[in-house]
Amino acid sequence: MNRTKGDEEEYWNSSKFKAFTFDDEDDELSQLKESKRAVNSLRDFVDDDDDDDLERVSWSGEPVGSISWSIKETASNSGSNHEREQLKNRNSFSSYAQLPKPASTYSLSSFFRGRTRPGSFQSLSDALSDTPAKSYAPELGRPKGEYRDYSNDWSPSDTVRRLRKGKVCSLERFRSLQDKLQLLEEAVSMHDGNVITAVLIFLKRTLSKEILFRELEVRQVALRHLIHFLKEIGDQKLLWDLFRFLDRTEELALTHYREHLNIQDPEKRKEFLKTCIGLPFSAEDSAHIQDHYTLLERQIIIEANDRHLESAGQTEIFRKHPRKASILNMPLVTTLFYSCFYHYTEAEGTFSSPVNLKKTFKIPEKQYVLTALAARAKLRAWHDVDALFTTKNWLGYTKKRAPIGFHRVVEILHKNSAPVQILQEYVNLVEDVDTKLNLATKFKCHDVVIDTCRDLKDRQQLLAYRSKVDKGSAEEEKIDAILNSSQIRWKN
């Protein structure tokens, strides 16, 4: 299709879409004029209020609602809008979408008549300002108070109070040493451990070790918090440096000793414990470190030997009672119980002998008897239990003696389901009569109760116990025989 040159220029220079300009105010004025004419033609269809016949005058003396008044109102609003647009451009926001014009629900006549009383329509400027249109440009005018959480004008006391309330607060503004120390003093005076720790983390990050240690040396509360924090996070290197600076060698040694907990390999742990022996511990702690090293050394030997015997299947004790766990890294009492359970009859010269363990680690007699009794009773080795409490004097006479008390022996035996005959034997060895009767009644050692009541010549208690035994049993017959005996002079 052939076109002339003029037609082509008109085609390329024309468009049905209108570009955005700042001169749209003229178009709005023309639209207002057309709206005025439309209102005048439709005045009969608009319901006027009672005060429509009153002429309203603006501050300039012009009637409210006139064309000149509307033009000035629109021009003033456009000027303020133009200033806001320039402010947005200065804030480097390059472009924004024009606000869409919502569907108006206001009467056109009210725009020109300036109704402002309650219940009436708003003016054009008020209507435009109250338009609930969605803004596509970034918000620029947020209140300054909303940014105070991120500002740098907080004092140390204000900062500490905000930290205590859990609010976001930057500590980076405190750059000088004096400001940082003042912040720490405020945190300590607040008596809040979390706030003190937060400030100490900031000081640890921003101060050298020498300055930090020097200032904390005279602030014991903050120093204790830092030591606890370093222990919790496992920063052993900084903790060692701190103890060296404070000349607290014993705590330094203990801190080094605790590192063995992080070593899983038994051989490596043993070698590490060996390096701890020469550290500056107290006399008591040095003995414990030596015992720990010796115990682990024994456990490694016992574990290797028992694993071999268990896998070979040639030892009866391991066949009947397979091991449930390794002995490595177990406490001394657990190791003693293990030894009394699997190696009770071994000679004293072996590492796994209970007697050897007792002498090497100076285990008290009560602890040894209690542990051995629990182990042998669990195996129902009653002969070993009897031998454990049998002693000989220098004349060769035997006597039963229990350093833990026979009442505890009875309880342990009953817990391991010992026969009644065994229980009665040890209940009879209890010296206190009331305790003996209570234990005999509790564990149904009938003969002990009957004989004790007979010895006490307590007829009433014997009669009361007669009702607790089975009818026609040997115990009932024994009680009847005692009650009918004429040789006993009863107290009651």
Side-chain angles (χ1 to χ4, degrees), residues 289-355:
I289 300 299
Q290 181 65 55
D291 287 344
H292 191 177
Y293 170 76
T294 306
L295 177 62
L296 182 57
E297 188 179 33
R298 294 282 187 93
Q299 289 175 344
I300 292 174
I301 297 173
I302 296 172
E303 176 66 22
N305 182 60
D306 289 358
R307 189 186 299 116
H308 174 71
L309 293 175
E310 187 176 24
S311 61
Q314 298 178 357
T315 307
E316 182 180 1
I317 185 67
F318 288 109
R319 290 200 307 268
K320 290 184 177 180
H321 305 279
R323 300 188 311 156
K324 297 182 179 180
S326 170
I327 194 62
L328 294 174
N329 299 318
M330 292 296 176
L332 177 59
V333 176
T334 306
T335 306
L336 179 61
F337 181 89
Y338 177 92
S339 180
C340 291
F341 194 92
Y342 289 105
H343 306 281
Y344 189 71
T345 59
E346 289 186 4
E348 183 179 339
T350 60
F351 286 144
S352 55
S353 169
V355 180

Side-chain angles (χ1 to χ4, degrees), residues 52 106 143 166 200 209 211 235 315 330 345 364 378 403 418-419 425 461 466 483:
D52 287 346
Y106 301 96
L200 286 173
K209 292 189 297 185
I211 297 177
D235 194 344
T315 307
M330 292 296 176
T345 59
K378 191 175 184 65
E425 179 182 356
Q461 190 169 358
R466 184 180 182 276
L483 292 173

